[in-house]
Amino acid sequence: MYKITFSLLLILCLAACKNTQSNSQVEPESTAVNDTLTFVFASCNDQEREQPLWNPILGHKPELFIWGGDNIYSDTRDSSKMRADYNKQFNQADYTKLRQQTKVIGTWDDHDYGENDAGAQYPMKIKASELFWDFMELPKGDSLRDQPGVFHSYVHKTDQGSVKFIMLDTRYYRDPLLKSEDPDKRYTPWPTDHDGWFLGPLQWVWLENQLKDTAHDFTFIVSSVQFLNNADHGWEKWGNFPAERIKMYEVLKQAQSKNIILLSGDRHHAEMSKDDQAGLGYPLLDFTASGLTHTFPGSPLEPSEYRWGEGTKELNFGLIKVHQPSKTVVFEIRGKDDVLIEQFIQSY
């Protein structure tokens, strides 16, 4: 289903016409300016399963690929097993083609952190960090390897400016979850006055400093766990720590960075969430792409007040195109055989 408003479509058409006119006048192809950043965001990839989405992803020739977490499934406290699981994915034929021609960045979630729903108490997190950075091909001497947690940022420069990506770590510092007494739910939110950490003090200070940066046209924040979808379900979400979720809203409202967009995974479905009342001067979007190798299509999506569109439980990846001259972003949920499942357009 296409989610395109007429006014936003008109903006894209005008931008395309402008480019066509200038190219038809005097500019040779060698001086043409690339004004659109194309990148792919995806999560939930089991190295032991069939991986049918790499070829469609490769077909789009993205300039950047972002892992949203659960990049492998290695629920273990055995570092040799985790290393072997990472190596299997690293050497998967189609993924090898991708990383050889595309910049790869990302963060982790629980299954590549090492344990389902794990947080700060997971005893192998320092070794798991080392293996994560190896998988991401971070040089051995890089200072990020000495940092507690895998949060970091990356700036992608384009012909028209730059786009910043902030990778959060929702595992290393996260305090225990509150188990639900409801047999149909795994967890229930803590009381609003609960002082448990979701990101931890060091990461919060770092994030606030990152969002003082005004040099970039867009800032994408990658959170492995959904932020906006706060539905009444028993799974992981920012809403399990209400005070931390409120704090994030405040941090975003005070941010000086331009055009902030959230990306999330974890849920084994894809959807766009939208908050028009976030106080940013523009809608806050949380684009979820989750399910490179497995989803659970037999069950419906839970109701969510923030859902924009319908969402899907088919295998999926997110294709994102940032058109900097018009400050317009196109989000596409794509599936097997590169089928377009949903499309969203937002101008800033």
Side-chain angles (χ1 to χ4, degrees), residues 130-285:
E130 175 189 330
L131 298 177
F132 169 83
W133 288 127
D134 288 345
F135 179 68
M136 301 301 293
E137 301 185 82
L138 185 72
K140 291 294 184 182
D142 196 291
S143 60
L144 277 175
R145 288 181 176 268
D146 299 323
Q147 170 190 278
V150 302
F151 56 91
H152 63 290
S153 64
Y154 170 77
V155 173
H156 190 91
K157 295 182 179 180
T158 73
D159 294 330
Q160 297 290 302
S162 59
V163 178
K164 187 171 186 176
F165 297 89
I166 296 175
M167 261 63 64
L168 298 181
D169 184 337
T170 64
R171 296 293 159 187
Y172 202 94
Y173 296 95
R174 200 217 66 212
D175 279 325
L177 297 161
L178 178 60
K179 293 186 178 181
S180 177
E181 297 180 358
D182 185 337
D184 295 325
K185 298 179 181 179
R186 186 176 294 171
Y187 306 112
T188 195
W190 285 104
T192 304
D193 60 356
H194 177 68
D195 60 359
W197 292 107
F198 197 74
L199 296 186
L202 178 65
Q203 189 173 188
W204 271 121
V205 171
W206 171 84
L207 176 60
E208 291 180 50
N209 285 329
Q210 289 289 315
L211 292 175
K212 294 177 182 177
D213 189 352
T214 62
H216 315 292
D217 300 310
F218 291 89
T219 298
F220 288 86
I221 300 178
V222 181
S223 166
S224 62
V225 179
Q226 285 185 315
F227 178 75
L228 280 185
N229 186 339
N230 200 35
D232 185 25
H233 60 74
W235 310 107
E236 291 195 276
K237 57 188 176 184
W238 272 79
N240 286 334
F241 291 81
E244 292 281 88
R245 189 169 185 267
I246 292 170
K247 179 179 176 66
M248 177 60 101
Y249 266 115
E250 292 304 315
V251 167
L252 294 177
K253 281 190 266 189
Q254 295 170 14
Q256 298 174 46
S257 297
K258 293 174 279 189
N259 304 327
I260 299 170
I261 299 167
L262 303 174
L263 303 177
S264 58
D266 179 63
R267 295 299 314 282
H268 297 279
H269 70 250
E271 66 177 330
M272 175 66 84
S273 299
K274 180 180 182 181
D275 184 356
D276 290 307
Q277 308 300 322
L280 306 184
Y282 53 85
L284 177 61
L285 303 183

Side-chain angles (χ1 to χ4, degrees), residues 43-193:
S43 67
C44 298
N45 178 77
D46 189 335
Q47 72 281 358
E48 301 296 338
R49 296 176 185 251
E50 182 183 3
Q51 299 184 21
L53 299 187
W54 293 121
N55 278 328
I57 289 171
L58 285 163
H60 289 282
K61 298 181 180 179
E63 297 173 59
L64 190 66
F65 177 84
I66 303 176
W67 284 112
D70 291 340
N71 313 322
I72 60 169
Y73 278 68
S74 187
D75 297 270
T76 184
R77 298 188 178 187
D78 180 348
S79 61
S80 61
K81 178 187 181 303
M82 182 177 285
R83 184 180 297 278
D85 291 336
Y86 268 127
N87 286 340
K88 183 168 185 176
Q89 182 57 46
F90 187 81
N91 294 307
Q92 199 271 351
D94 294 326
Y95 178 65
T96 296
K97 293 178 186 176
L98 178 75
R99 62 181 176 78
Q100 288 176 344
Q101 67 186 45
T102 305
K103 174 69 176 177
V104 176
I105 61 174
T107 189
W108 60 13
D109 199 24
D110 52 344
H111 296 289
D112 42 352
Y113 182 61
E115 200 165 86
N116 186 45
D117 298 345
Q121 288 70 37
Y122 177 61
M124 192 185 143
K125 61 185 181 181
I126 295 176
K127 184 63 177 180
S129 300
E130 175 189 330
L131 298 177
F132 169 83
W133 288 127
D134 288 345
F135 179 68
M136 301 301 293
E137 301 185 82
L138 185 72
K140 291 294 184 182
D142 196 291
S143 60
L144 277 175
R145 288 181 176 268
D146 299 323
Q147 170 190 278
V150 302
F151 56 91
H152 63 290
S153 64
Y154 170 77
V155 173
H156 190 91
K157 295 182 179 180
T158 73
D159 294 330
Q160 297 290 302
S162 59
V163 178
K164 187 171 186 176
F165 297 89
I166 296 175
M167 261 63 64
L168 298 181
D169 184 337
T170 64
R171 296 293 159 187
Y172 202 94
Y173 296 95
R174 200 217 66 212
D175 279 325
L177 297 161
L178 178 60
K179 293 186 178 181
S180 177
E181 297 180 358
D182 185 337
D184 295 325
K185 298 179 181 179
R186 186 176 294 171
Y187 306 112
T188 195
W190 285 104
T192 304
D193 60 356

